[in-house]
């Protein structure tokens, strides 16, 4: 069933590209607009289904995991390991995007002229407001807005409280949360049956509206960006292999489906249910997955980080701006810091670039140039965000779960040692074989 689901999504992606191009080439402009409206409506319906289940799924997974944990102190260690990984990855990926753009000399020769309107709000990020916003004023508002960090804060406190009550023998609420998690996983399975339809509509809409015109005009930028993303994927998988051994290749097989969904819909949220399911099958505890992934969605946006540094160098070259290396590094640092506040912001990467680059002498109108091809670029960076978070959660989860397995449980027993990479890989293949029958 898993392989069939992946094939359906891949087929929907291909048919979406072909269908979108046919609509663009064969229909007049006004008719194309009507088709795009219909396709966008279908896409939004699918994304609304996803948004409907995100908040309760994150909350139930996180709380159920923490309430069943041996020691609440493990949450602090998990948070520390996650943040070290996320911040290190942001620096390295941002530097990679910066260096790649310079090596490819993207934007050189375009000779863009300043002037015009960027067409997008470029309000600078308020760091005090961002930090304050992490703490929810209302748990219901956080759940309604699908704010991952706010849900994480409340869910962690709620889970730790349930853990302490469970140690005292009062576990009825914890049992109810466990049941809620099971129900949400079932509902998620139902919703994901519509994934091929959502993928087809999302990709067909983009190609119906733009065709290949954007590719022709900005071919060097788009080609250079995706070539750099491909190299980044190889490097990320190499890191996964170094940390996970051969099991990393099974992780890549598991994560390809959520990556396809993210690519076609340009939505990380759309891929989250499948990503949680895949990481659980990979062997990562639900508590770890439910804690690390919401953090990663805010702090571990590898694809977006690379895009922002890559796009900034493109604008420098396109406008022929003479900016020394120190200024460019300072701009890259500002982009890195600002990227941590873009979770949940529509076209967040573009908004951050619009907020930062004008302060370094780059015309704000350049954002309008990026906006023309942003949909095409957003697909790649969103899929990269999913791969980065999958690898981060798997590596952090493996080390954390191994450490937890060596600690005594609530009942005083000792858990069995964690499986080796080869054992996990073998057992994973056995589970996949059994699931096909």
């Amino acid at each position: 069933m898993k392989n069939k689901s992946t094939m359906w999504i891949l087929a929907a992606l291909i048919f979406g590209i072909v269908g979108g191009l046919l609509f663009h080439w064969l229909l007049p402009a006004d008719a194309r607009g009507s088709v795009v409206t219909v396709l966008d409506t279908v896409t939004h319906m699918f994304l609304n289904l996803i948004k409907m289940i995100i908040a309760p799924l994150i909350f139930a997974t996180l709380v159920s995991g923490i309430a069943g944990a041996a020691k609440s102190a493990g949450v602090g260690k998990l948070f520390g390991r996650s943040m070290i990984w996320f911040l290190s990855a942001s620096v390295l990926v941002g530097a990679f995007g910066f260096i790649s753009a310079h090596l490819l000399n993207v934007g050189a020769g375009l000779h863009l002229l300043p002037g015009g309107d960027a067409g997008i709000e470029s309000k600078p990020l308020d760091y005090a407001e961002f930090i304050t916003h992490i703490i929810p004023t209302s748990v219901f508002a956080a759940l309604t807005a699908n704010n991952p960090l706010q849900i994480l804060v409340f869910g962690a406190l709620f889970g730790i409280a349930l853990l302490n009550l469970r140690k005292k023998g009062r576990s009825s609420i914890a049992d109810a949360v466990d049941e809620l998690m099971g129900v949400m996983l079932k509902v998620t399975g139902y919703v994901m049956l519509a994934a091929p339809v959502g993928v087809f509509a999302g990709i067909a809409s983009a190609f119906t509206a733009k065709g290949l015109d954007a590719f022709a005009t900005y071919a060097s930028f788009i080609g250079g960006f995706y070539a750099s993303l491909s190299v980044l994927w190889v490097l990320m998988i190499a890191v996964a292999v170094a940390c996970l051994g051969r099991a990393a290749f099974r992780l890549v097989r598991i994560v390809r489906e959520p990556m396809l969904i993210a690519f076609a819909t340009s939505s990380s949220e759309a891929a989250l249910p499948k990503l949680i399911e895949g990481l659980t099958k990979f062997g990562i505890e639900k508590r770890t997955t439910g804690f690390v992934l919401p953090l990663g969605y805010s702090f571990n946006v590898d694809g977006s980080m690379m895009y922002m540094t890559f796009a900034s160098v493109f604008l420098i070259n396109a406008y022929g701006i003479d900016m020394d290396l120190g200024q460019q590094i300072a701009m890259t640092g500002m982009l890195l810091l600002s990227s941590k506040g873009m979770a949940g912001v529509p076209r967040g990467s573009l908004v951050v670039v619009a907020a930062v680059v004008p302060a370094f002498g780059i015309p704000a109108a350049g954002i309008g140039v990026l906006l023309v091809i942003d949909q095409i670029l957003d697909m790649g960076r969103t899929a990269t965000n999913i791969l980065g978070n999958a690898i981060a959660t798997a590596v952090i989860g493996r080390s954390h779960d191994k450490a937890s397995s060596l600690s005594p449980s609530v009942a005083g027993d000792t858990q069995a040692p964690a499986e080796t990479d080869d054992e996990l890989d073998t057992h994973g293949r056995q589970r996949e074989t059994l699931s096909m029958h």
Side-chain angles (χ1 to χ4, degrees), residues 261-302:
I261 294 172
F263 181 85
T265 61
S266 299
S267 169
S268 295
E269 284 184 340
L272 181 58
K274 278 292 182 183
L275 190 54
I276 292 175
E277 176 188 334
L279 288 167
T280 302
K281 288 181 179 178
F282 183 71
I284 306 303
E285 290 184 1
K286 290 184 176 68
R287 170 176 64 90
T288 306
T289 301
F291 188 89
V292 176
L293 272 184
L295 270 181
Y297 266 49
S298 293
F299 293 100
N300 191 45
V301 284
D302 294 336

Side-chain angles (χ1 to χ4, degrees), residues 212-434:
L212 294 176
D213 295 342
F215 283 103
T217 306
Y218 302 100
S220 62
F221 180 42
I222 296 171
F225 178 70
Y226 272 96
S228 299
L229 272 187
S230 300
V231 175
L232 179 61
W233 287 8
V234 172
L235 294 176
M236 292 167 71
I237 293 171
V239 171
V241 171
C243 297
L244 300 171
R246 290 188 299 168
F249 297 108
R250 186 164 68 88
L251 175 66
V252 173
R253 292 196 298 271
I254 288 172
V255 82
R256 64 189 175 189
E257 187 173 336
M259 285 181 68
L260 282 173
I261 294 172
F263 181 85
T265 61
S266 299
S267 169
S268 295
E269 284 184 340
L272 181 58
K274 278 292 182 183
L275 190 54
I276 292 175
E277 176 188 334
L279 288 167
T280 302
K281 288 181 179 178
F282 183 71
I284 306 303
E285 290 184 1
K286 290 184 176 68
R287 170 176 64 90
T288 306
T289 301
F291 188 89
V292 176
L293 272 184
L295 270 181
Y297 266 49
S298 293
F299 293 100
N300 191 45
V301 284
D302 294 336
S304 299
M305 189 64 226
M306 183 190 148
Y307 166 78
M308 287 186 289
T309 54
F310 197 92
S312 299
V313 174
F314 166 78
L315 292 176
I316 292 171
N317 292 336
Y319 281 105
I321 296 172
D322 184 16
M323 185 183 298
D324 62 41
L325 182 60
Q327 288 178 306
Q328 293 188 41
I329 292 175
M331 181 179 67
T332 301
M334 285 294 296
L335 289 169
L336 188 153
L337 293 173
S338 300
S339 69
K340 306 312 173 191
M342 69 182 184
V345 178
R347 297 188 183 274
S349 301
L350 204 58
V351 171
V352 170
V353 174
V356 171
V357 298
F360 292 86
I362 299 174
I367 307 304
V369 175
L370 297 176
L371 187 60
V372 174
I373 54 174
D374 188 65
Q375 177 67 28
I376 298 170
L377 303 175
D378 196 17
M379 295 173 179
R381 68 183 183 237
T382 305
T384 305
N385 290 343
I386 297 301
L387 177 62
N389 276 308
I391 293 173
T393 304
V395 174
I396 296 168
R398 180 68 63 85
S399 63
H400 181 79
D401 295 346
K402 278 185 178 180
S404 298
S405 70
L406 299 177
S407 303
S409 66
V410 176
D413 299 328
T414 301
Q415 298 179 3
E419 295 175 295
T420 65
D421 291 340
D422 291 344
E423 287 171 336
L424 280 169
D425 196 35
T426 301
H427 293 170
R429 289 196 298 269
Q430 291 172 347
R431 284 194 296 270
E432 290 172 3
T433 302
L434 291 172

Side-chain angles (χ1 to χ4, degrees), residues 71-84 291 396 400 403 407:
K71 295 189 298 182
S72 61
V75 175
K77 293 180 180 179
L78 187 61
F79 176 80
R81 289 172 180 167
S82 300
M83 293 309 297
I84 290 172
F291 188 89
I396 296 168
H400 181 79
S407 303

Side-chain angles (χ1 to χ4, degrees), residues 175-186:
D175 293 338
V177 173
D178 290 340
E179 289 293 328
L180 174 62
M181 184 185 68
V183 170
M184 288 312 305
L185 290 175
K186 275 289 185 185

